[in-house]
Amino acid sequence: MSRHTIHPRNAKHQKSWMDEHCHTLKHEIGAAERLLAEMETLVPQRVSQSVQEGLQDAITYFRNHHHQMRYAEATARHLPIGSGVTEAGCKVIVKERLCGSGMKWKEYGAGIVLSLRTLSYSQGRWQQFWSKINRYGFTFVE
């Protein structure tokens, strides 16, 4: 792998490097580990302390999280890689149900309502829940 130099006056090169590596990270298997190895070979020259710290922060982040950055594998399995699905779920499941005009909830009641709501939105889980209730009964625990 070639050694790259970080230089603050070459913004065009920096943007090109970022664009290329972001694309690679999203579309190529094993890209996070390769990018980490490449970042560890970067040689900061005549850059500010904040740029050097930023590079070190990125290296530390990749060391700690590269196993969670398997975006190509996730997309190949049709799994979401962004936060949009989670954010939409929070809006539909939680916000729409608990944040209506004049609504006030205690934690316990909100937990029960959200549990039932998530069951109703998860394919097959509502019927599975009632099958267990029919089989084992229901125990109220506070």
Side-chain angles (χ1 to χ4, degrees):
M1 194 163 290
S2 64
R3 292 177 67 82
H4 294 279
T5 303
I6 296 176
H7 196 283
R9 293 188 181 99
N10 196 345
K12 184 177 180 182
H13 179 263
Q14 288 176 357
K15 180 176 179 354
S16 169
W17 187 91
M18 283 291 288
D19 290 346
E20 174 189 336
H21 286 78
C22 285
H23 179 82
T24 300
L25 188 60
K26 184 175 179 182
H27 297 286
E28 293 182 17
I29 294 173
E33 291 83 0
R34 290 192 307 273
L35 182 53
L36 172 59
E38 184 173 333
M39 285 190 296
E40 291 173 330
T41 68
L42 292 174
V43 180
Q45 293 182 345
R46 295 184 305 246
V47 295
S48 68
Q49 184 68 28
S50 66
V51 170
Q52 292 178 21
E53 288 172 2
L55 174 60
Q56 191 55 51
D57 289 347
I59 289 170
T60 300
Y61 183 85
F62 270 71
R63 280 183 186 148
N64 294 336
H65 298 284
H66 67 85
H67 63 281
Q68 298 170 320
M69 303 168 80
R70 296 188 174 125
Y71 304 121
E73 293 96 326
T75 55
R77 294 175 36 212
H78 305 287
L79 297 172
I81 60 171
S83 63
V85 172
T86 302
E87 291 171 19
C90 288
K91 180 181 176 186
V92 170
I93 301 294
V94 179
K95 186 91 172 147
E96 286 182 6
R97 183 62 184 98
L98 298 182
C99 297
S101 179
M103 290 186 177
K104 292 184 180 183
W105 295 89
K106 292 188 178 180
E107 186 175 341
Y108 183 75
I112 290 172
V113 167
L114 292 178
S115 293
L116 292 171
R117 193 157 170 90
T118 55
L119 285 171
S120 70
Y121 274 88
S122 302
Q123 188 175 8
R125 299 287 289 171
W126 184 256
Q127 187 56 42
Q128 182 184 23
F129 169 76
W130 284 110
S131 295
K132 287 195 176 194
I133 294 295
N134 289 336
R135 183 171 180 187
Y136 301 110
F138 179 75
T139 304
F140 183 75
V141 179
E142 188 170 342

